Amino acid sequence: MAEALGHPRFGYYRKALALGAAGDFTTAPEISQMFGELLGAWLAERWMAMGRPSSVRLVELGPGRGTLLADALRATRGVAGFHAALDLHLVEISERLRAAQATALAGLAPTWHDRLDDVPDGPLLLIANEFFDALPVRQFVCTAQGWIERMVGLAGDGETLRLALAPGRTPFAAALPEAVPGRQAELCEAGLALAAAIGARLRRDGGWALIIDYGFDATSGLSLQAVRQHRGSDILDRPGETDLSAHVDFTGLARATGMPAFGPAGQGDFLRRVGIIQRAEALKARATLSQRQSIDAALARLIDPDQMGTLFRVLAVGNTPSSEPPGFSDSFPSTT
Ligand code: SAH
């Protein structure tokens, strides 16, 4: 998975312009400007909760086409002092997407990095939408002998890729659920290590991280999937030309940060609590009939339980004492 997505020459995220109607998949910020606008309001509110520091690193992991931040920053132009405090850092491995981000964020002078470790220290506001699902997972199957890793190997012809169980018990058993024959599990070491690094930065320098992705609360079987041109595909088919992603283990991520965590909330609940219905109404008040219809369609896609509303989750991690971030309980007043 790491090679298929990240290989410097042949990796999927190095070559393809994965996102959008012409690409392989669509993401929430590409569905509607409302998504980025509301996350912008969330970030500005957290900056105020941090005591309006005069300098904060605004970091996005895997910014795609830069749409989310462009919408977030346009929506928060009126927040006194906020933009002046922001120092924008983008963690992105795709050269083509870096170019798209430069266009979308022209004038905001972002700095690009290959890894979070390269982002300078300092108070942090971090956002990651559909980033952790692209980090490589290991897969395990529990047999009568215990947990065994499922790996990629070659078929008898010496050319065709196939999945097979590695010989012997895996040394990763301690990180997996209780061994019950028939159980299956995934482990995303890169995601857990990144969560630990984010937690360490937040603990040291202060700030907040908002992680949005599709995933589960507790370990639940095998989820690795392949998508090409908006259709499901075999995970071993055409590596480097196919998107691979896996469900994010939010419980594991939250624990790995070692910080107070809020959520995961369903994306639908989160967006409703931060005011997406009111935002949609405000946009519709100035729209044509066909624009109103597309706003309603986008709203449904983002929040309906049978669309992105339940499968996608939102997790916030941060350390501003006694201050609950918006979006995680119904009692909190909306930010709009
Ligand atoms: N957040 C965007 C894009 C999601 S797609 C959106 O919501 O539209 C995943 C993004 O992460 C892409 O920008 C991809 O190029 C980037 N990416 C994937 N793996 C990465 C890695 N290991 N390091 C840095 N960026 C990565």
Side-chain angles (χ1 to χ4, degrees), residues 13 19 25 27 29 60 62-64 91-94 97 129-131 134-135:
Y13 279 113
L19 290 150
F25 59 95
T27 58
E60 185 172 0
V91 177
E92 175 59 66
I93 51 168
S94 159
L97 288 176
N129 185 57
E130 290 210 45
F131 177 79
L135 300 178

mmCIF file with all atom_site columns, all heavy atoms in Angstrom, residues 13 19 25 27 29 60 62-64 91-94 97 129-131 134-135, ligand 1:
data_model
loop_
_atom_site.group_PDB
_atom_site.id
_atom_site.type_symbol
_atom_site.label_atom_id
_atom_site.label_alt_id
_atom_site.label_comp_id
_atom_site.label_asym_id
_atom_site.label_entity_id
_atom_site.label_seq_id
_atom_site.pdbx_PDB_ins_code
_atom_site.Cartn_x
_atom_site.Cartn_y
_atom_site.Cartn_z
_atom_site.occupancy
_atom_site.B_iso_or_equiv
_atom_site.pdbx_formal_charge
_atom_site.auth_seq_id
_atom_site.auth_comp_id
_atom_site.auth_asym_id
_atom_site.auth_atom_id
_atom_site.pdbx_PDB_model_num
ATOM   1   N N   . TYR A 1 13  ? -0.243  8.648  -5.688 1.00 0.00 ? 13  TYR A N   1
ATOM   2   C CA  . TYR A 1 13  ? -0.319  10.072 -5.325 1.00 0.00 ? 13  TYR A CA  1
ATOM   3   C C   . TYR A 1 13  ? 0.800   10.904 -5.944 1.00 0.00 ? 13  TYR A C   1
ATOM   4   O O   . TYR A 1 13  ? 0.792   12.121 -5.856 1.00 0.00 ? 13  TYR A O   1
ATOM   5   C CB  . TYR A 1 13  ? -0.352  10.242 -3.800 1.00 0.00 ? 13  TYR A CB  1
ATOM   6   C CG  . TYR A 1 13  ? -1.730  10.023 -3.250 1.00 0.00 ? 13  TYR A CG  1
ATOM   7   C CD1 . TYR A 1 13  ? -2.014  8.944  -2.431 1.00 0.00 ? 13  TYR A CD1 1
ATOM   8   C CD2 . TYR A 1 13  ? -2.772  10.885 -3.579 1.00 0.00 ? 13  TYR A CD2 1
ATOM   9   C CE1 . TYR A 1 13  ? -3.296  8.735  -1.946 1.00 0.00 ? 13  TYR A CE1 1
ATOM   10  C CE2 . TYR A 1 13  ? -4.049  10.686 -3.108 1.00 0.00 ? 13  TYR A CE2 1
ATOM   11  C CZ  . TYR A 1 13  ? -4.306  9.616  -2.296 1.00 0.00 ? 13  TYR A CZ  1
ATOM   12  O OH  . TYR A 1 13  ? -5.570  9.415  -1.825 1.00 0.00 ? 13  TYR A OH  1
ATOM   13  N N   . LEU A 1 19  ? -8.238  13.611 -7.501 1.00 0.00 ? 19  LEU A N   1
ATOM   14  C CA  . LEU A 1 19  ? -9.506  14.133 -6.995 1.00 0.00 ? 19  LEU A CA  1
ATOM   15  C C   . LEU A 1 19  ? -10.380 14.759 -8.047 1.00 0.00 ? 19  LEU A C   1
ATOM   16  O O   . LEU A 1 19  ? -9.885  15.305 -9.017 1.00 0.00 ? 19  LEU A O   1
ATOM   17  C CB  . LEU A 1 19  ? -9.197  15.234 -5.980 1.00 0.00 ? 19  LEU A CB  1
ATOM   18  C CG  . LEU A 1 19  ? -8.598  14.759 -4.683 1.00 0.00 ? 19  LEU A CG  1
ATOM   19  C CD1 . LEU A 1 19  ? -7.702  15.824 -4.124 1.00 0.00 ? 19  LEU A CD1 1
ATOM   20  C CD2 . LEU A 1 19  ? -9.710  14.439 -3.732 1.00 0.00 ? 19  LEU A CD2 1
ATOM   21  N N   . PHE A 1 25  ? -11.918 9.985  -7.191 1.00 0.00 ? 25  PHE A N   1
ATOM   22  C CA  . PHE A 1 25  ? -12.885 10.131 -6.101 1.00 0.00 ? 25  PHE A CA  1
ATOM   23  C C   . PHE A 1 25  ? -13.111 11.599 -5.782 1.00 0.00 ? 25  PHE A C   1
ATOM   24  O O   . PHE A 1 25  ? -12.354 12.462 -6.210 1.00 0.00 ? 25  PHE A O   1
ATOM   25  C CB  . PHE A 1 25  ? -12.421 9.376  -4.844 1.00 0.00 ? 25  PHE A CB  1
ATOM   26  C CG  . PHE A 1 25  ? -11.086 9.822  -4.309 1.00 0.00 ? 25  PHE A CG  1
ATOM   27  C CD1 . PHE A 1 25  ? -11.018 10.771 -3.299 1.00 0.00 ? 25  PHE A CD1 1
ATOM   28  C CD2 . PHE A 1 25  ? -9.900  9.295  -4.801 1.00 0.00 ? 25  PHE A CD2 1
ATOM   29  C CE1 . PHE A 1 25  ? -9.795  11.186 -2.799 1.00 0.00 ? 25  PHE A CE1 1
ATOM   30  C CE2 . PHE A 1 25  ? -8.665  9.703  -4.303 1.00 0.00 ? 25  PHE A CE2 1
ATOM   31  C CZ  . PHE A 1 25  ? -8.619  10.649 -3.293 1.00 0.00 ? 25  PHE A CZ  1
ATOM   32  N N   . THR A 1 27  ? -14.192 14.497 -2.634 1.00 0.00 ? 27  THR A N   1
ATOM   33  C CA  . THR A 1 27  ? -14.133 14.656 -1.176 1.00 0.00 ? 27  THR A CA  1
ATOM   34  C C   . THR A 1 27  ? -15.065 15.790 -0.740 1.00 0.00 ? 27  THR A C   1
ATOM   35  O O   . THR A 1 27  ? -15.505 16.595 -1.569 1.00 0.00 ? 27  THR A O   1
ATOM   36  C CB  . THR A 1 27  ? -12.704 15.006 -0.738 1.00 0.00 ? 27  THR A CB  1
ATOM   37  O OG1 . THR A 1 27  ? -12.327 16.203 -1.417 1.00 0.00 ? 27  THR A OG1 1
ATOM   38  C CG2 . THR A 1 27  ? -11.727 13.885 -1.080 1.00 0.00 ? 27  THR A CG2 1
ATOM   39  N N   . PRO A 1 29  ? -14.736 18.795 0.716  1.00 0.00 ? 29  PRO A N   1
ATOM   40  C CA  . PRO A 1 29  ? -14.545 20.186 0.282  1.00 0.00 ? 29  PRO A CA  1
ATOM   41  C C   . PRO A 1 29  ? -14.808 20.386 -1.206 1.00 0.00 ? 29  PRO A C   1
ATOM   42  O O   . PRO A 1 29  ? -15.143 21.496 -1.628 1.00 0.00 ? 29  PRO A O   1
ATOM   43  C CB  . PRO A 1 29  ? -13.073 20.480 0.609  1.00 0.00 ? 29  PRO A CB  1
ATOM   44  C CG  . PRO A 1 29  ? -12.439 19.167 0.895  1.00 0.00 ? 29  PRO A CG  1
ATOM   45  C CD  . PRO A 1 29  ? -13.519 18.234 1.311  1.00 0.00 ? 29  PRO A CD  1
ATOM   46  N N   . GLU A 1 60  ? -2.164  21.927 7.099  1.00 0.00 ? 60  GLU A N   1
ATOM   47  C CA  . GLU A 1 60  ? -3.089  20.932 6.556  1.00 0.00 ? 60  GLU A CA  1
ATOM   48  C C   . GLU A 1 60  ? -2.289  19.749 6.051  1.00 0.00 ? 60  GLU A C   1
ATOM   49  O O   . GLU A 1 60  ? -1.302  19.902 5.324  1.00 0.00 ? 60  GLU A O   1
ATOM   50  C CB  . GLU A 1 60  ? -3.973  21.498 5.432  1.00 0.00 ? 60  GLU A CB  1
ATOM   51  C CG  . GLU A 1 60  ? -4.996  20.431 5.010  1.00 0.00 ? 60  GLU A CG  1
ATOM   52  C CD  . GLU A 1 60  ? -6.076  20.869 4.038  1.00 0.00 ? 60  GLU A CD  1
ATOM   53  O OE1 . GLU A 1 60  ? -6.102  22.051 3.631  1.00 0.00 ? 60  GLU A OE1 1
ATOM   54  O OE2 . GLU A 1 60  ? -6.903  20.000 3.688  1.00 0.00 ? 60  GLU A OE2 1
ATOM   55  N N   . GLY A 1 62  ? -2.207  16.701 3.580  1.00 0.00 ? 62  GLY A N   1
ATOM   56  C CA  . GLY A 1 62  ? -2.864  16.257 2.345  1.00 0.00 ? 62  GLY A CA  1
ATOM   57  C C   . GLY A 1 62  ? -3.952  17.186 1.885  1.00 0.00 ? 62  GLY A C   1
ATOM   58  O O   . GLY A 1 62  ? -5.123  16.820 1.856  1.00 0.00 ? 62  GLY A O   1
ATOM   59  N N   . PRO A 1 63  ? -3.611  18.426 1.489  1.00 0.00 ? 63  PRO A N   1
ATOM   60  C CA  . PRO A 1 63  ? -4.650  19.425 1.166  1.00 0.00 ? 63  PRO A CA  1
ATOM   61  C C   . PRO A 1 63  ? -5.351  19.217 -0.178 1.00 0.00 ? 63  PRO A C   1
ATOM   62  O O   . PRO A 1 63  ? -6.202  20.038 -0.529 1.00 0.00 ? 63  PRO A O   1
ATOM   63  C CB  . PRO A 1 63  ? -3.872  20.754 1.141  1.00 0.00 ? 63  PRO A CB  1
ATOM   64  C CG  . PRO A 1 63  ? -2.516  20.455 1.696  1.00 0.00 ? 63  PRO A CG  1
ATOM   65  C CD  . PRO A 1 63  ? -2.265  18.999 1.437  1.00 0.00 ? 63  PRO A CD  1
ATOM   66  N N   . GLY A 1 64  ? -5.018  18.175 -0.941 1.00 0.00 ? 64  GLY A N   1
ATOM   67  C CA  . GLY A 1 64  ? -5.729  17.950 -2.206 1.00 0.00 ? 64  GLY A CA  1
ATOM   68  C C   . GLY A 1 64  ? -5.550  19.121 -3.148 1.00 0.00 ? 64  GLY A C   1
ATOM   69  O O   . GLY A 1 64  ? -4.444  19.522 -3.469 1.00 0.00 ? 64  GLY A O   1
ATOM   70  N N   . VAL A 1 91  ? 1.418   19.852 4.115  1.00 0.00 ? 91  VAL A N   1
ATOM   71  C CA  . VAL A 1 91  ? 2.161   18.594 4.025  1.00 0.00 ? 91  VAL A CA  1
ATOM   72  C C   . VAL A 1 91  ? 1.575   17.811 2.859  1.00 0.00 ? 91  VAL A C   1
ATOM   73  O O   . VAL A 1 91  ? 0.411   17.395 2.899  1.00 0.00 ? 91  VAL A O   1
ATOM   74  C CB  . VAL A 1 91  ? 2.057   17.795 5.343  1.00 0.00 ? 91  VAL A CB  1
ATOM   75  C CG1 . VAL A 1 91  ? 2.779   16.457 5.213  1.00 0.00 ? 91  VAL A CG1 1
ATOM   76  C CG2 . VAL A 1 91  ? 2.633   18.613 6.499  1.00 0.00 ? 91  VAL A CG2 1
ATOM   77  N N   . GLU A 1 92  ? 2.364   17.658 1.799  1.00 0.00 ? 92  GLU A N   1
ATOM   78  C CA  . GLU A 1 92  ? 1.827   17.102 0.545  1.00 0.00 ? 92  GLU A CA  1
ATOM   79  C C   . GLU A 1 92  ? 2.950   16.421 -0.234 1.00 0.00 ? 92  GLU A C   1
ATOM   80  O O   . GLU A 1 92  ? 4.004   17.017 -0.416 1.00 0.00 ? 92  GLU A O   1
ATOM   81  C CB  . GLU A 1 92  ? 1.221   18.236 -0.286 1.00 0.00 ? 92  GLU A CB  1
ATOM   82  C CG  . GLU A 1 92  ? 0.729   17.827 -1.661 1.00 0.00 ? 92  GLU A CG  1
ATOM   83  C CD  . GLU A 1 92  ? -0.341  16.751 -1.578 1.00 0.00 ? 92  GLU A CD  1
ATOM   84  O OE1 . GLU A 1 92  ? -1.431  17.035 -1.070 1.00 0.00 ? 92  GLU A OE1 1
ATOM   85  O OE2 . GLU A 1 92  ? -0.058  15.609 -1.994 1.00 0.00 ? 92  GLU A OE2 1
ATOM   86  N N   . ILE A 1 93  ? 2.707   15.181 -0.710 1.00 0.00 ? 93  ILE A N   1
ATOM   87  C CA  . ILE A 1 93  ? 3.750   14.504 -1.494 1.00 0.00 ? 93  ILE A CA  1
ATOM   88  C C   . ILE A 1 93  ? 3.540   14.642 -2.998 1.00 0.00 ? 93  ILE A C   1
ATOM   89  O O   . ILE A 1 93  ? 4.458   14.374 -3.761 1.00 0.00 ? 93  ILE A O   1
ATOM   90  C CB  . ILE A 1 93  ? 3.878   12.995 -1.156 1.00 0.00 ? 93  ILE A CB  1
ATOM   91  C CG1 . ILE A 1 93  ? 2.531   12.301 -1.214 1.00 0.00 ? 93  ILE A CG1 1
ATOM   92  C CG2 . ILE A 1 93  ? 4.555   12.801 0.193  1.00 0.00 ? 93  ILE A CG2 1
ATOM   93  C CD1 . ILE A 1 93  ? 2.646   10.771 -1.169 1.00 0.00 ? 93  ILE A CD1 1
ATOM   94  N N   . SER A 1 94  ? 2.360   15.038 -3.426 1.00 0.00 ? 94  SER A N   1
ATOM   95  C CA  . SER A 1 94  ? 2.096   15.092 -4.863 1.00 0.00 ? 94  SER A CA  1
ATOM   96  C C   . SER A 1 94  ? 2.503   16.444 -5.442 1.00 0.00 ? 94  SER A C   1
ATOM   97  O O   . SER A 1 94  ? 1.992   17.482 -5.035 1.00 0.00 ? 94  SER A O   1
ATOM   98  C CB  . SER A 1 94  ? 0.602   14.843 -5.122 1.00 0.00 ? 94  SER A CB  1
ATOM   99  O OG  . SER A 1 94  ? 0.241   15.344 -6.396 1.00 0.00 ? 94  SER A OG  1
ATOM   100 N N   . LEU A 1 97  ? -0.510  18.090 -7.126 1.00 0.00 ? 97  LEU A N   1
ATOM   101 C CA  . LEU A 1 97  ? -1.443  18.712 -6.182 1.00 0.00 ? 97  LEU A CA  1
ATOM   102 C C   . LEU A 1 97  ? -0.818  19.942 -5.525 1.00 0.00 ? 97  LEU A C   1
ATOM   103 O O   . LEU A 1 97  ? -1.515  20.913 -5.240 1.00 0.00 ? 97  LEU A O   1
ATOM   104 C CB  . LEU A 1 97  ? -1.932  17.699 -5.155 1.00 0.00 ? 97  LEU A CB  1
ATOM   105 C CG  . LEU A 1 97  ? -2.920  16.653 -5.727 1.00 0.00 ? 97  LEU A CG  1
ATOM   106 C CD1 . LEU A 1 97  ? -3.296  15.620 -4.676 1.00 0.00 ? 97  LEU A CD1 1
ATOM   107 C CD2 . LEU A 1 97  ? -4.176  17.322 -6.278 1.00 0.00 ? 97  LEU A CD2 1
ATOM   108 N N   . ASN A 1 129 ? -8.284  16.192 6.289  1.00 0.00 ? 129 ASN A N   1
ATOM   109 C CA  . ASN A 1 129 ? -9.512  15.589 5.761  1.00 0.00 ? 129 ASN A CA  1
ATOM   110 C C   . ASN A 1 129 ? -9.135  14.522 4.751  1.00 0.00 ? 129 ASN A C   1
ATOM   111 O O   . ASN A 1 129 ? -8.430  14.803 3.777  1.00 0.00 ? 129 ASN A O   1
ATOM   112 C CB  . ASN A 1 129 ? -10.386 16.651 5.087  1.00 0.00 ? 129 ASN A CB  1
ATOM   113 C CG  . ASN A 1 129 ? -11.726 16.076 4.629  1.00 0.00 ? 129 ASN A CG  1
ATOM   114 O OD1 . ASN A 1 129 ? -12.468 15.535 5.444  1.00 0.00 ? 129 ASN A OD1 1
ATOM   115 N ND2 . ASN A 1 129 ? -12.002 16.150 3.348  1.00 0.00 ? 129 ASN A ND2 1
ATOM   116 N N   . GLU A 1 130 ? -9.586  13.312 4.980  1.00 0.00 ? 130 GLU A N   1
ATOM   117 C CA  . GLU A 1 130 ? -9.266  12.171 4.103  1.00 0.00 ? 130 GLU A CA  1
ATOM   118 C C   . GLU A 1 130 ? -7.765  12.051 3.876  1.00 0.00 ? 130 GLU A C   1
ATOM   119 O O   . GLU A 1 130 ? -7.304  11.890 2.747  1.00 0.00 ? 130 GLU A O   1
ATOM   120 C CB  . GLU A 1 130 ? -10.023 12.270 2.769  1.00 0.00 ? 130 GLU A CB  1
ATOM   121 C CG  . GLU A 1 130 ? -11.513 12.030 2.963  1.00 0.00 ? 130 GLU A CG  1
ATOM   122 C CD  . GLU A 1 130 ? -12.165 11.402 1.742  1.00 0.00 ? 130 GLU A CD  1
ATOM   123 O OE1 . GLU A 1 130 ? -11.580 10.462 1.192  1.00 0.00 ? 130 GLU A OE1 1
ATOM   124 O OE2 . GLU A 1 130 ? -13.232 11.874 1.360  1.00 0.00 ? 130 GLU A OE2 1
ATOM   125 N N   . PHE A 1 131 ? -7.008  12.178 4.925  1.00 0.00 ? 131 PHE A N   1
ATOM   126 C CA  . PHE A 1 131 ? -5.555  11.975 4.855  1.00 0.00 ? 131 PHE A CA  1
ATOM   127 C C   . PHE A 1 131 ? -5.171  10.646 5.499  1.00 0.00 ? 131 PHE A C   1
ATOM   128 O O   . PHE A 1 131 ? -4.455  9.839  4.899  1.00 0.00 ? 131 PHE A O   1
ATOM   129 C CB  . PHE A 1 131 ? -4.830  13.126 5.552  1.00 0.00 ? 131 PHE A CB  1
ATOM   130 C CG  . PHE A 1 131 ? -3.337  12.948 5.575  1.00 0.00 ? 131 PHE A CG  1
ATOM   131 C CD1 . PHE A 1 131 ? -2.577  13.236 4.454  1.00 0.00 ? 131 PHE A CD1 1
ATOM   132 C CD2 . PHE A 1 131 ? -2.691  12.449 6.698  1.00 0.00 ? 131 PHE A CD2 1
ATOM   133 C CE1 . PHE A 1 131 ? -1.204  13.044 4.457  1.00 0.00 ? 131 PHE A CE1 1
ATOM   134 C CE2 . PHE A 1 131 ? -1.322  12.255 6.711  1.00 0.00 ? 131 PHE A CE2 1
ATOM   135 C CZ  . PHE A 1 131 ? -0.577  12.560 5.583  1.00 0.00 ? 131 PHE A CZ  1
ATOM   136 N N   . ALA A 1 134 ? -5.300  7.253  3.735  1.00 0.00 ? 134 ALA A N   1
ATOM   137 C CA  . ALA A 1 134 ? -4.349  6.933  2.673  1.00 0.00 ? 134 ALA A CA  1
ATOM   138 C C   . ALA A 1 134 ? -3.040  6.367  3.232  1.00 0.00 ? 134 ALA A C   1
ATOM   139 O O   . ALA A 1 134 ? -2.143  6.022  2.466  1.00 0.00 ? 134 ALA A O   1
ATOM   140 C CB  . ALA A 1 134 ? -4.051  8.188  1.850  1.00 0.00 ? 134 ALA A CB  1
ATOM   141 N N   . LEU A 1 135 ? -2.933  6.283  4.544  1.00 0.00 ? 135 LEU A N   1
ATOM   142 C CA  . LEU A 1 135 ? -1.695  5.759  5.132  1.00 0.00 ? 135 LEU A CA  1
ATOM   143 C C   . LEU A 1 135 ? -1.765  4.224  5.167  1.00 0.00 ? 135 LEU A C   1
ATOM   144 O O   . LEU A 1 135 ? -2.823  3.651  5.392  1.00 0.00 ? 135 LEU A O   1
ATOM   145 C CB  . LEU A 1 135 ? -1.494  6.337  6.535  1.00 0.00 ? 135 LEU A CB  1
ATOM   146 C CG  . LEU A 1 135 ? -1.389  7.869  6.555  1.00 0.00 ? 135 LEU A CG  1
ATOM   147 C CD1 . LEU A 1 135 ? -1.241  8.385  7.985  1.00 0.00 ? 135 LEU A CD1 1
ATOM   148 C CD2 . LEU A 1 135 ? -0.228  8.359  5.692  1.00 0.00 ? 135 LEU A CD2 1
HETATM 149 N N1  . SAH B 2 .   ? -7.806  16.775 1.955  1.00 0.00 ? 1   SAH B N1  1
HETATM 150 C C1  . SAH B 2 .   ? -8.107  16.801 0.538  1.00 0.00 ? 1   SAH B C1  1
HETATM 151 C C2  . SAH B 2 .   ? -7.447  15.644 -0.237 1.00 0.00 ? 1   SAH B C2  1
HETATM 152 C C3  . SAH B 2 .   ? -7.663  14.243 0.241  1.00 0.00 ? 1   SAH B C3  1
HETATM 153 S S1  . SAH B 2 .   ? -6.834  13.043 -0.766 1.00 0.00 ? 1   SAH B S1  1
HETATM 154 C C4  . SAH B 2 .   ? -9.602  16.826 0.317  1.00 0.00 ? 1   SAH B C4  1
HETATM 155 O O1  . SAH B 2 .   ? -10.327 16.591 1.273  1.00 0.00 ? 1   SAH B O1  1
HETATM 156 O O2  . SAH B 2 .   ? -10.035 17.065 -0.808 1.00 0.00 ? 1   SAH B O2  1
HETATM 157 C C5  . SAH B 2 .   ? -5.343  12.739 0.121  1.00 0.00 ? 1   SAH B C5  1
HETATM 158 C C6  . SAH B 2 .   ? -4.329  13.847 0.056  1.00 0.00 ? 1   SAH B C6  1
HETATM 159 O O3  . SAH B 2 .   ? -3.175  13.463 0.820  1.00 0.00 ? 1   SAH B O3  1
HETATM 160 C C7  . SAH B 2 .   ? -3.794  14.188 -1.311 1.00 0.00 ? 1   SAH B C7  1
HETATM 161 O O4  . SAH B 2 .   ? -3.510  15.575 -1.338 1.00 0.00 ? 1   SAH B O4  1
HETATM 162 C C8  . SAH B 2 .   ? -2.528  13.348 -1.376 1.00 0.00 ? 1   SAH B C8  1
HETATM 163 O O5  . SAH B 2 .   ? -1.649  13.751 -2.380 1.00 0.00 ? 1   SAH B O5  1
HETATM 164 C C9  . SAH B 2 .   ? -2.000  13.498 0.008  1.00 0.00 ? 1   SAH B C9  1
HETATM 165 N N2  . SAH B 2 .   ? -1.151  12.419 0.517  1.00 0.00 ? 1   SAH B N2  1
HETATM 166 C C10 . SAH B 2 .   ? -1.412  11.082 0.475  1.00 0.00 ? 1   SAH B C10 1
HETATM 167 N N3  . SAH B 2 .   ? -0.460  10.382 1.118  1.00 0.00 ? 1   SAH B N3  1
HETATM 168 C C11 . SAH B 2 .   ? 0.416   11.299 1.616  1.00 0.00 ? 1   SAH B C11 1
HETATM 169 C C12 . SAH B 2 .   ? 1.606   11.213 2.415  1.00 0.00 ? 1   SAH B C12 1
HETATM 170 N N4  . SAH B 2 .   ? 2.077   10.026 2.797  1.00 0.00 ? 1   SAH B N4  1
HETATM 171 N N5  . SAH B 2 .   ? 2.225   12.350 2.749  1.00 0.00 ? 1   SAH B N5  1
HETATM 172 C C13 . SAH B 2 .   ? 1.752   13.571 2.366  1.00 0.00 ? 1   SAH B C13 1
HETATM 173 N N6  . SAH B 2 .   ? 0.625   13.714 1.604  1.00 0.00 ? 1   SAH B N6  1
HETATM 174 C C14 . SAH B 2 .   ? -0.033  12.605 1.234  1.00 0.00 ? 1   SAH B C14 1
#
